[in-house]
Amino acid sequence: MDNAGIEEMFQGLGPVTVKRMFGGKGIYHMGRIVAVEVRDEMLLKADETSAPEFAAAGATQWAYEGKKGKPVKMPYWSIPDEAYDDPDLMAKWVRLAYEAALRAE
């Protein structure tokens, strides 16, 4: 996804900064990371407060295989499919990601 597309996706939150990282991109709002793009997939930050809402909407948590073959779960979740066609719904999910970023401090 190009930076203009990312900025449009996050317009319900406000201005974002996109930085290259880990072979992907980190998306920041007001200095806090709210999402990552990994292998052409946008993943939103979540925590123990918001993760159940992501799971209930059918989102999946990002995990990678650790050194001993066990999955390592990261605090990022896929975006529910219906949000891609609904700017108001997308705004809800990106705000949840920002709230999780605020709680992470």
Side-chain angles (χ1 to χ4, degrees):
M1 180 176 292
D2 65 11
N3 289 4
I6 292 171
E7 290 168 359
E8 182 179 337
M9 179 181 284
F10 286 85
Q11 70 185 359
L13 184 59
V16 294
T17 303
V18 180
K19 298 180 182 179
R20 295 199 87 23
M21 62 185 299
F22 311 128
K25 297 177 182 179
I27 294 81
Y28 296 80
H29 177 66
M30 305 208 40
R32 293 175 176 87
I33 190 163
V34 295
V36 293
E37 183 188 45
V38 179
R39 296 184 191 104
D40 297 322
E41 182 178 13
M42 187 62 64
L43 302 161
L44 299 177
K45 187 169 188 71
D47 60 10
E48 64 272 351
T49 300
S50 58
E53 194 165 348
F54 278 87
T60 56
Q61 187 173 13
W62 177 35
Y64 66 90
E65 188 174 320
K67 292 180 182 178
K68 297 182 181 182
K70 292 185 178 181
V72 177
K73 293 183 178 183
M74 299 299 290
Y76 295 95
W77 288 71
S78 63
I79 298 172
D81 290 336
E82 62 273 7
Y84 286 101
D85 297 323
D86 184 338
D88 293 330
L89 194 52
M90 181 64 77
K92 169 195 168 182
W93 293 108
V94 298
R95 281 193 301 271
L96 282 174
Y98 181 62
E99 291 167 5
L102 289 174
R103 288 189 294 269
E105 294 205 353

